[in-house]
Protein backbone atom coordinates (compact mmCIF):
# COMPACT_ATOMS: atom_id res chain seq x y z
CA UNK A 1 0.00 0.00 0.00
CA UNK A 2 2.77 2.40 0.98
CA UNK A 3 4.49 1.63 -2.32
CA UNK A 4 1.39 2.40 -4.38
CA UNK A 5 0.88 5.78 -2.66
CA UNK A 6 4.57 6.48 -3.23
CA UNK A 7 4.32 5.64 -6.94
CA UNK A 8 1.24 7.83 -7.48
CA UNK A 9 2.49 10.85 -5.51
CA UNK A 10 5.94 10.82 -7.10
CA UNK A 11 4.30 10.56 -10.52
CA UNK A 12 2.18 13.62 -9.74
CA UNK A 13 5.31 15.43 -8.60
CA UNK A 14 7.01 14.68 -11.92
CA UNK A 15 3.99 15.97 -13.88
CA UNK A 16 3.95 19.19 -11.82
CA UNK A 17 7.66 19.77 -12.45
CA UNK A 18 7.18 19.14 -16.18
CA UNK A 19 4.35 21.67 -16.33
CA UNK A 20 6.50 24.33 -14.64
CA UNK A 21 8.96 24.10 -17.54
CA UNK A 22 6.38 24.98 -20.20
CA UNK A 23 4.22 27.59 -18.46
CA UNK A 24 4.91 31.22 -19.37
CA UNK A 25 2.62 32.77 -16.74
CA UNK A 26 4.84 33.14 -13.69
CA UNK A 27 1.88 33.44 -11.33
CA UNK A 28 0.79 29.95 -12.40
CA UNK A 29 4.40 28.76 -12.08
CA UNK A 30 4.58 29.97 -8.49
CA UNK A 31 1.21 28.40 -7.64
CA UNK A 32 2.34 25.10 -9.17
CA UNK A 33 5.50 25.37 -7.10
CA UNK A 34 3.35 25.67 -3.96
CA UNK A 35 1.50 22.55 -5.08
CA UNK A 36 4.84 20.84 -5.68
CA UNK A 37 5.87 21.59 -2.09
CA UNK A 38 2.60 20.22 -0.71
CA UNK A 39 3.00 17.04 -2.75
CA UNK A 40 6.55 16.63 -1.47
CA UNK A 41 5.28 17.09 2.09
CA UNK A 42 2.80 14.24 1.50
CA UNK A 43 5.58 12.04 0.16
CA UNK A 44 7.71 12.83 3.22
CA UNK A 45 4.85 11.68 5.47
CA UNK A 46 4.58 8.52 3.43
CA UNK A 47 8.32 7.92 3.86
CA UNK A 48 8.05 8.35 7.68
CA UNK A 49 9.78 11.74 7.74
CA UNK A 50 7.05 13.56 9.66
CA UNK A 51 9.27 16.36 10.96
CA UNK A 52 10.53 17.05 7.44
CA UNK A 53 7.00 17.02 6.04
CA UNK A 54 5.94 19.55 8.65
CA UNK A 55 8.81 21.85 7.72
CA UNK A 56 8.28 21.49 3.98
CA UNK A 57 4.55 22.27 4.26
CA UNK A 58 5.19 25.37 6.39
CA UNK A 59 8.27 26.63 4.57
CA UNK A 60 8.00 25.43 0.97
CA UNK A 61 4.29 25.83 0.44
CA UNK A 62 3.88 28.77 2.82
CA UNK A 63 6.77 31.20 3.11
CA UNK A 64 8.53 30.44 -0.22
CA UNK A 65 5.30 30.93 -2.16
CA UNK A 66 4.54 34.21 -0.38
CA UNK A 67 8.06 35.50 -1.08
CA UNK A 68 7.87 34.50 -4.74
CA UNK A 69 4.49 36.21 -5.11
CA UNK A 70 5.98 39.29 -3.48
CA UNK A 71 8.78 39.23 -6.03
CA UNK A 72 6.28 38.84 -8.89
CA UNK A 73 4.40 41.91 -7.63
CA UNK A 74 7.62 43.86 -8.21
CA UNK A 75 8.95 42.25 -11.38
CA UNK A 76 5.85 41.42 -13.43
CA UNK A 77 4.06 38.14 -13.97
CA UNK A 78 4.69 37.35 -17.64
CA UNK A 79 7.79 35.59 -18.81
CA UNK A 80 8.94 36.96 -22.16
CA UNK A 81 9.35 34.68 -25.16
CA UNK A 82 12.61 32.79 -24.86
CA UNK A 83 14.96 33.52 -27.75
CA UNK A 84 17.55 30.93 -26.74
CA UNK A 85 17.56 27.63 -28.55
CA UNK A 86 16.56 24.78 -26.26
CA UNK A 87 18.73 22.15 -27.96
CA UNK A 88 21.95 22.55 -26.00
CA UNK A 89 20.34 22.66 -22.51
CA UNK A 90 18.19 19.66 -23.45
CA UNK A 91 21.25 17.73 -24.58
CA UNK A 92 23.16 18.54 -21.37
CA UNK A 93 20.17 17.50 -19.26
CA UNK A 94 19.61 14.23 -21.12
CA UNK A 95 23.27 13.22 -20.92
CA UNK A 96 23.52 14.10 -17.21
CA UNK A 97 20.21 12.39 -16.46
CA UNK A 98 21.22 9.23 -18.32
CA UNK A 99 24.49 9.08 -16.38
CA UNK A 100 22.65 9.51 -13.08
CA UNK A 101 20.05 6.85 -13.94
CA UNK A 102 22.91 4.50 -14.81
CA UNK A 103 24.40 5.37 -11.41
CA UNK A 104 21.17 4.55 -9.54
CA UNK A 105 21.40 0.93 -10.70
CA UNK A 106 24.33 0.52 -8.30
CA UNK A 107 22.34 1.94 -5.41
CA UNK A 108 20.93 -0.37 -2.73
CA UNK A 109 17.24 -1.22 -3.28
CA UNK A 110 14.77 1.27 -1.82
CA UNK A 111 13.68 0.66 1.78
CA UNK A 112 15.76 -2.43 2.46
CA UNK A 113 16.63 -2.61 6.21
CA UNK A 114 20.19 -3.87 5.47
CA UNK A 115 21.15 -0.86 3.32
CA UNK A 116 24.50 0.74 4.20
CA UNK A 117 22.75 3.95 5.31
CA UNK A 118 21.11 2.09 8.21
CA UNK A 119 24.28 0.39 9.39
CA UNK A 120 26.58 3.00 10.88
CA UNK A 121 25.31 5.56 13.41
CA UNK A 122 21.56 5.13 12.86
CA UNK A 123 21.16 2.05 15.13
CA UNK A 124 22.93 3.90 17.90
CA UNK A 125 20.61 6.89 17.58
CA UNK A 126 17.55 4.64 17.50
CA UNK A 127 18.57 2.41 20.42
CA UNK A 128 20.51 4.74 22.72
CA UNK A 129 19.01 8.21 22.24
CA UNK A 130 15.73 7.53 24.14
CA UNK A 131 17.84 6.47 27.15
CA UNK A 132 20.67 9.00 26.82
CA UNK A 133 18.62 12.06 25.94
CA UNK A 134 15.27 10.91 27.32
CA UNK A 135 13.15 12.21 24.42
CA UNK A 136 10.78 10.07 22.36
CA UNK A 137 11.38 12.09 19.18
CA UNK A 138 14.76 10.92 17.90
CA UNK A 139 14.88 13.64 15.27
CA UNK A 140 14.85 16.28 18.01
CA UNK A 141 17.49 14.36 20.00
CA UNK A 142 19.84 14.20 17.02
CA UNK A 143 19.11 17.75 15.86
CA UNK A 144 19.43 19.46 19.21
CA UNK A 145 21.95 17.29 21.05
CA UNK A 146 24.13 14.93 19.01
CA UNK A 147 24.42 17.33 16.08
CA UNK A 148 23.75 20.57 17.94
CA UNK A 149 26.89 22.12 16.48
CA UNK A 150 25.55 21.71 12.91
CA UNK A 151 22.24 23.16 13.93
CA UNK A 152 23.98 26.18 15.47
CA UNK A 153 25.63 26.75 12.10
CA UNK A 154 22.32 26.46 10.28
CA UNK A 155 20.64 28.92 12.63
CA UNK A 156 23.52 31.28 11.95
CA UNK A 157 22.95 30.85 8.20
CA UNK A 158 19.28 31.80 8.59
CA UNK A 159 20.37 34.85 10.59
CA UNK A 160 22.96 35.77 7.95
CA UNK A 161 20.39 35.40 5.16
CA UNK A 162 18.04 37.74 7.03
CA UNK A 163 20.86 40.29 7.33
CA UNK A 164 21.44 39.89 3.59
CA UNK A 165 17.81 40.60 2.74
CA UNK A 166 17.64 43.52 5.18
CA UNK A 167 20.67 45.13 3.55
CA UNK A 168 19.43 44.48 -0.01
CA UNK A 169 15.81 45.56 0.43
CA UNK A 170 15.65 47.43 3.73
CA UNK A 171 12.88 47.22 6.29
CA UNK A 172 9.67 49.26 6.26
CA UNK A 173 10.10 52.70 7.79
CA UNK A 174 7.45 54.86 9.43
CA UNK A 175 7.25 57.42 6.63
CA UNK A 176 5.65 55.48 3.79
CA UNK A 177 2.07 54.54 4.58
CA UNK A 178 -0.05 53.51 1.64
CA UNK A 179 -3.62 54.73 1.68
CA UNK A 180 -5.17 51.54 0.38
CA UNK A 181 -3.22 48.90 2.18
CA UNK A 182 -4.42 45.40 2.98
CA UNK A 183 -7.91 44.04 2.44
CA UNK A 184 -9.77 46.12 5.01
CA UNK A 185 -12.99 46.31 3.01
CA UNK A 186 -13.41 42.51 3.09
CA UNK A 187 -15.42 42.06 6.27
CA UNK A 188 -15.53 38.25 6.17
CA UNK A 189 -11.78 38.03 5.71
CA UNK A 190 -11.19 40.35 8.64
CA UNK A 191 -13.42 38.38 11.00
CA UNK A 192 -12.00 35.01 9.93
CA UNK A 193 -8.43 36.30 10.15
CA UNK A 194 -9.02 37.54 13.69
CA UNK A 195 -10.25 34.07 14.63
CA UNK A 196 -7.45 32.23 12.87
CA UNK A 197 -4.45 34.32 13.98
CA UNK A 198 -4.60 33.55 17.74
CA UNK A 199 -5.10 29.85 16.96
CA UNK A 200 -2.05 29.91 14.70
CA UNK A 201 0.08 31.52 17.39
CA UNK A 202 -1.17 28.99 19.94
CA UNK A 203 -0.35 26.17 17.52
CA UNK A 204 3.14 27.62 17.01
CA UNK A 205 3.70 27.59 20.77
CA UNK A 206 2.45 24.00 20.96
CA UNK A 207 4.81 22.95 18.16
CA UNK A 208 7.66 24.80 19.88
CA UNK A 209 7.30 23.18 23.27
CA UNK A 210 5.92 19.80 22.23
CA UNK A 211 8.64 19.22 19.62
CA UNK A 212 10.52 16.89 21.97
CA UNK A 213 7.59 14.48 22.11
CA UNK A 214 6.00 14.74 18.66
CA UNK A 215 6.90 16.15 15.27
CA UNK A 216 7.92 19.78 15.40
CA UNK A 217 10.43 22.02 17.10
CA UNK A 218 11.95 25.46 16.84
CA UNK A 219 12.27 25.63 13.04
CA UNK A 220 8.63 24.78 12.38
CA UNK A 221 7.29 26.87 15.26
CA UNK A 222 9.22 29.93 14.12
CA UNK A 223 7.84 29.65 10.60
CA UNK A 224 4.25 29.10 11.81
CA UNK A 225 4.40 32.08 14.17
CA UNK A 226 5.78 34.22 11.33
CA UNK A 227 2.93 32.98 9.12
CA UNK A 228 0.39 34.25 11.66
CA UNK A 229 1.82 37.79 11.51
CA UNK A 230 2.11 37.57 7.71
CA UNK A 231 -1.61 36.76 7.55
CA UNK A 232 -2.27 39.80 9.73
CA UNK A 233 -0.17 41.96 7.42
CA UNK A 234 -1.99 40.67 4.32
CA UNK A 235 -5.45 41.36 5.71
CA UNK A 236 -4.90 44.52 7.75
CA UNK A 237 -2.04 46.04 5.79
CA UNK A 238 1.69 46.29 6.37
CA UNK A 239 1.58 49.54 8.44
CA UNK A 240 -0.72 47.87 10.99
CA UNK A 241 1.50 44.78 11.18
CA UNK A 242 4.61 46.86 11.75
CA UNK A 243 2.79 48.43 14.71
CA UNK A 244 2.25 44.95 16.19
CA UNK A 245 5.75 43.59 15.61
CA UNK A 246 8.18 46.42 14.94
CA UNK A 247 10.95 45.88 12.35
CA UNK A 248 13.61 47.10 14.79
CA UNK A 249 12.36 44.60 17.38
CA UNK A 250 12.79 41.84 14.76
CA UNK A 251 16.43 42.82 14.26
CA UNK A 252 16.99 42.37 18.00
CA UNK A 253 15.08 39.07 18.08
CA UNK A 254 16.99 37.58 15.14
CA UNK A 255 20.33 38.09 16.86
CA UNK A 256 18.93 37.22 20.30
CA UNK A 257 17.98 33.70 19.15
CA UNK A 258 21.50 32.92 17.94
CA UNK A 259 22.83 34.43 21.17
CA UNK A 260 20.59 32.15 23.29
CA UNK A 261 21.78 29.13 21.32
CA UNK A 262 25.48 29.96 21.46
CA UNK A 263 25.09 31.14 25.05
CA UNK A 264 23.82 27.70 26.07
CA UNK A 265 26.96 26.26 24.55
CA UNK A 266 29.16 28.71 26.41
CA UNK A 267 27.27 28.04 29.66
CA UNK A 268 27.90 24.29 29.43
CA UNK A 269 31.50 25.14 28.56
CA UNK A 270 31.96 27.11 31.78
CA UNK A 271 30.19 24.45 33.86
CA UNK A 272 32.93 22.02 32.97
CA UNK A 273 31.54 20.24 29.90
CA UNK A 274 32.30 20.60 26.22
CA UNK A 275 30.66 23.29 24.07
CA UNK A 276 26.94 22.39 23.79
CA UNK A 277 27.32 19.39 26.09
CA UNK A 278 24.12 19.75 28.11
CA UNK A 279 24.87 16.96 30.58
CA UNK A 280 26.48 19.45 32.98
CA UNK A 281 23.49 21.84 33.04
CA UNK A 282 21.82 19.86 35.83
CA UNK A 283 22.95 17.28 38.37
CA UNK A 284 21.14 14.54 36.41
CA UNK A 285 22.49 14.30 32.82
CA UNK A 286 19.06 13.47 31.33
CA UNK A 287 17.49 16.52 33.04
CA UNK A 288 20.45 18.58 31.78
CA UNK A 289 19.78 17.37 28.23
CA UNK A 290 16.11 18.37 28.60
CA UNK A 291 16.97 21.87 29.77
CA UNK A 292 19.58 22.33 27.05
CA UNK A 293 17.26 21.15 24.28
CA UNK A 294 14.33 23.32 25.39
CA UNK A 295 16.56 26.40 25.60
CA UNK A 296 18.27 25.97 22.24
CA UNK A 297 14.99 25.06 20.50
CA UNK A 298 13.63 28.33 21.88
CA UNK A 299 16.64 30.14 20.45
CA UNK A 300 16.06 28.52 17.05
CA UNK A 301 12.36 29.43 17.16
CA UNK A 302 13.10 33.08 17.95
CA UNK A 303 15.69 33.45 15.19
CA UNK A 304 13.61 31.68 12.56
CA UNK A 305 10.50 33.70 13.46
CA UNK A 306 12.36 36.99 13.29
CA UNK A 307 14.23 36.09 10.09
CA UNK A 308 11.15 34.87 8.21
CA UNK A 309 8.95 37.78 9.27
CA UNK A 310 11.75 40.28 8.64
CA UNK A 311 12.31 38.89 5.14
CA UNK A 312 8.58 39.18 4.46
CA UNK A 313 8.61 42.78 5.73
CA UNK A 314 11.48 43.54 3.37
CA UNK A 315 9.58 42.30 0.32
CA UNK A 316 6.25 43.79 1.41
CA UNK A 317 7.82 47.21 2.02
CA UNK A 318 9.18 47.20 -1.54
CA UNK A 319 5.74 46.37 -2.96
CA UNK A 320 4.14 49.03 -0.76
CA UNK A 321 6.63 51.63 -1.98
CA UNK A 322 5.80 50.69 -5.56
CA UNK A 323 2.09 51.17 -4.78
CA UNK A 324 2.66 54.71 -3.52
CA UNK A 325 4.72 55.85 -6.50
CA UNK B 1 7.78 -5.31 -10.73
CA UNK B 2 10.05 -5.45 -7.69
CA UNK B 3 12.89 -4.03 -9.82
CA UNK B 4 10.70 -0.99 -10.56
CA UNK B 5 9.65 -0.54 -6.93
CA UNK B 6 13.29 -0.83 -5.82
CA UNK B 7 14.51 2.00 -8.04
CA UNK B 8 11.42 4.07 -8.87
CA UNK B 9 12.13 6.69 -6.19
CA UNK B 10 15.66 7.27 -7.45
CA UNK B 11 14.51 7.56 -11.06
CA UNK B 12 11.87 10.14 -10.21
CA UNK B 13 14.46 12.03 -8.16
CA UNK B 14 16.77 12.08 -11.19
CA UNK B 15 13.89 13.24 -13.39
CA UNK B 16 13.01 16.08 -10.99
CA UNK B 17 16.66 17.03 -10.67
CA UNK B 18 17.00 17.24 -14.42
CA UNK B 19 13.72 19.21 -14.72
CA UNK B 20 15.08 21.75 -12.22
CA UNK B 21 18.48 21.79 -13.90
CA UNK B 22 16.86 22.36 -17.30
CA UNK B 23 14.84 25.30 -15.95
CA UNK B 24 17.95 26.84 -14.40
CA UNK B 25 20.05 26.67 -17.56
CA UNK B 26 17.38 27.38 -20.17
CA UNK B 27 15.00 29.89 -18.57
CA UNK B 28 15.48 33.55 -19.37
CA UNK B 29 13.49 34.89 -16.46
CA UNK B 30 15.29 35.08 -13.13
CA UNK B 31 12.22 34.27 -11.00
CA UNK B 32 11.70 31.10 -13.02
CA UNK B 33 15.36 30.22 -12.58
CA UNK B 34 14.88 30.40 -8.81
CA UNK B 35 11.79 28.17 -9.05
CA UNK B 36 13.94 25.70 -11.01
CA UNK B 37 16.64 25.84 -8.36
CA UNK B 38 14.02 25.06 -5.71
CA UNK B 39 12.73 22.08 -7.69
CA UNK B 40 16.30 20.78 -7.92
CA UNK B 41 16.74 21.32 -4.21
CA UNK B 42 13.54 19.49 -3.27
CA UNK B 43 14.57 16.54 -5.43
CA UNK B 44 17.77 16.24 -3.38
CA UNK B 45 15.68 16.27 -0.21
CA UNK B 46 13.52 13.49 -1.69
CA UNK B 47 16.67 11.48 -2.41
CA UNK B 48 17.91 11.67 1.18
CA UNK B 49 14.50 10.83 2.66
CA UNK B 50 14.15 7.86 0.27
CA UNK B 51 17.51 6.56 1.45
CA UNK B 52 16.41 6.90 5.09
CA UNK B 53 13.22 4.87 4.62
CA UNK B 54 13.09 1.38 6.12
CA UNK B 55 10.36 -0.89 4.80
CA UNK B 56 7.83 -1.65 7.52
CA UNK B 57 9.47 0.99 9.69
CA UNK B 58 7.71 3.80 11.47
CA UNK B 59 8.38 7.50 11.99
CA UNK B 60 11.35 7.85 14.39
CA UNK B 61 9.29 8.72 17.46
CA UNK B 62 9.40 6.13 20.24
CA UNK B 63 6.06 4.42 20.83
CA UNK B 64 4.99 1.19 22.49
CA UNK B 65 4.81 -1.87 20.30
CA UNK B 66 6.96 -0.47 17.48
CA UNK B 67 10.30 -2.13 16.87
CA UNK B 68 11.45 -0.81 13.51
CA UNK B 69 12.07 2.88 12.87
CA UNK B 70 13.19 4.75 9.77
CA UNK B 71 16.63 6.34 9.89
CA UNK B 72 16.38 9.68 11.78
CA UNK B 73 19.69 11.11 10.54
CA UNK B 74 18.60 12.11 6.99
CA UNK B 75 15.46 13.65 8.50
CA UNK B 76 17.57 15.95 10.69
CA UNK B 77 19.83 16.98 7.82
CA UNK B 78 16.93 17.71 5.48
CA UNK B 79 14.80 19.49 8.09
CA UNK B 80 17.46 22.12 8.62
CA UNK B 81 18.29 22.17 4.89
CA UNK B 82 14.71 23.19 4.07
CA UNK B 83 14.84 26.23 6.38
CA UNK B 84 18.30 27.21 5.16
CA UNK B 85 16.99 26.71 1.60
CA UNK B 86 14.15 29.19 2.04
CA UNK B 87 16.55 31.68 3.62
CA UNK B 88 18.92 31.52 0.64
CA UNK B 89 15.95 31.62 -1.77
CA UNK B 90 14.89 34.85 -0.07
CA UNK B 91 18.35 36.34 -0.66
CA UNK B 92 18.13 35.27 -4.32
CA UNK B 93 14.71 36.85 -4.72
CA UNK B 94 15.93 40.04 -3.03
CA UNK B 95 18.75 40.19 -5.59
CA UNK B 96 16.16 39.74 -8.37
CA UNK B 97 14.21 42.70 -6.99
CA UNK B 98 17.37 44.82 -6.95
CA UNK B 99 18.23 43.76 -10.51
CA UNK B 100 14.75 44.81 -11.60
CA UNK B 101 15.25 48.19 -9.96
CA UNK B 102 18.69 48.70 -11.50
CA UNK B 103 18.04 47.43 -15.04
CA UNK B 104 14.25 47.60 -15.37
CA UNK B 105 14.05 43.94 -16.42
CA UNK B 106 14.55 40.45 -15.01
CA UNK B 107 15.06 38.77 -18.39
CA UNK B 108 18.63 37.60 -18.62
CA UNK B 109 19.24 38.46 -22.29
CA UNK B 110 17.93 41.99 -21.78
CA UNK B 111 20.15 43.11 -18.91
CA UNK B 112 23.24 41.36 -20.20
CA UNK B 113 23.70 44.17 -22.74
CA UNK B 114 23.12 46.91 -20.18
CA UNK B 115 26.29 46.46 -18.15
CA UNK B 116 27.50 49.90 -19.18
CA UNK B 117 24.58 51.52 -17.32
CA UNK B 118 25.91 50.62 -13.89
Amino acid sequence: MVEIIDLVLLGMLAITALRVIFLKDLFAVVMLFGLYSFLSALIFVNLDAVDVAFTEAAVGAGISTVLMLGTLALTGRKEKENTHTAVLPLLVVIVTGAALIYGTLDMPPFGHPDNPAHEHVAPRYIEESPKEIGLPNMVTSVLASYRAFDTLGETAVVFAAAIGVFSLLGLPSKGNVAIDSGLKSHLVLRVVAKLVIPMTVLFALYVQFHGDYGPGGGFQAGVIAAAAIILYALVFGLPMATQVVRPNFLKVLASLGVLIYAGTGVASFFLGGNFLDYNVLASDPVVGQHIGIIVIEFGIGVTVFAAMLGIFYGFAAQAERKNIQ
Amino acid sequence: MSFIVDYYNYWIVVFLMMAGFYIVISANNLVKKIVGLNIFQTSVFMMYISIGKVQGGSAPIVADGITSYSNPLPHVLILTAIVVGVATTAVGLALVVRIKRAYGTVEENEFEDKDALI
Side-chain angles (χ1 to χ4, degrees), chain A residues 7-226:
Chain A
L7 295 182
V8 172
L9 285 177
L10 278 167
M12 284 163 79
L13 204 60
I15 294 168
T16 315
L18 207 58
R19 196 74 197 107
V20 169
I21 297 178
F22 295 109
L23 274 175
K24 287 284 166 208
D25 183 354
L26 290 172
F27 180 73
V29 166
V30 171
M31 284 295 129
L32 267 183
F33 177 68
L35 204 66
Y36 179 87
S37 291
F38 262 129
L39 277 173
S40 356
L42 287 177
I43 293 166
F44 291 148
V45 173
N46 196 39
L47 297 179
D48 301 334
V50 279
D51 280 274
V52 182
F54 205 157
T55 320
E56 177 68 35
V59 168
I63 304 281
S64 291
T65 311
V66 168
L67 294 181
M68 282 178 185
L69 287 178
T71 312
L72 285 192
L74 295 161
T75 59
R77 82 181 256 190
K78 280 283 173 209
E79 186 189 6
K80 294 210 180 112
E81 208 50 55
N82 200 340
T83 47
H84 287 302
T85 134
V87 180
L88 187 62
L90 203 61
L91 198 72
V92 171
V93 165
I94 288 174
V95 170
T96 320
L100 287 176
I101 296 266
Y102 177 67
T104 60
L105 298 180
D106 277 342
M107 292 205 32
F110 168 69
H112 206 274
D114 297 334
N115 283 352
H118 310 310
E119 295 289 322
H120 184 49
V121 287
R124 187 179 184 281
Y125 288 150
I126 291 172
E127 281 152 26
E128 300 297 325
S129 80
K131 283 175 251 161
E132 271 181 353
I133 316 288
L135 297 181
N137 188 351
M138 298 163 203
V139 175
T140 304
S141 302
V142 179
L143 178 122
S145 186
Y146 294 109
R147 303 189 70 91
F149 208 76
D150 288 15
T151 314
L152 175 62
E154 273 134 11
T155 315
V157 170
V158 172
F159 173 65
I163 302 270
V165 174
F166 293 169
S167 41
L168 281 168
L169 296 182
L171 279 166
S173 53
K174 276 185 187 159
N176 49 2
V177 177
I179 306 131
D180 232 358
S181 185
L183 306 160
K184 280 178 201 148
S185 55
H186 296 251
L187 199 59
V188 176
L189 265 183
R190 280 173 58 183
V191 172
V192 172
K194 277 190 176 170
L195 283 175
V196 169
I197 289 166
M199 302 281 197
T200 316
V201 175
L202 190 67
F203 183 56
L205 289 173
Y206 170 78
V207 171
Q208 171 78 50
F209 293 108
H210 199 259
D212 313 352
Y213 303 97
F219 284 106
Q220 294 92 332
V223 175
I224 293 168

Side-chain angles (χ1 to χ4, degrees), chain A residues 251-271:
Chain A
K251 282 186 200 164
V252 177
L253 275 189
S255 39
L256 186 70
V258 182
L259 194 68
I260 292 173
Y261 198 144
T264 315
V266 174
S268 54
F269 193 61
F270 277 108
L271 287 170

Side-chain angles (χ1 to χ4, degrees), chain A residues 3 6-7 13 20-21 23 33 48 79-80 82-83 104 107-108 110-111 117-118 122 136 138 154 168 318, chain B residues 6-11 26 29 32 38 46 51 53 55 57 60 62 70-71 80 98 101 107 109-110:
Chain A
E3 283 78 15
D6 192 46
L7 295 182
L13 204 60
V20 169
I21 297 178
L23 274 175
F33 177 68
D48 301 334
E79 186 189 6
K80 294 210 180 112
N82 200 340
T83 47
T104 60
M107 292 205 32
F110 168 69
H118 310 310
M138 298 163 203
E154 273 134 11
L168 281 168
Q318 293 287 318
Chain B
D6 281 349
Y7 293 100
Y8 180 77
N9 276 45
Y10 305 137
W11 293 339
S26 79
N29 187 294
K32 199 162 178 185
N38 271 293
M46 206 76 68
I51 290 173
K53 166 80 179 165
Q55 232 148 31
V62 176
S70 283
N71 192 342
T80 47
R98 289 300 295 260
R101 215 197 291 166
E107 304 286 328
N109 57 351
E110 289 176 7

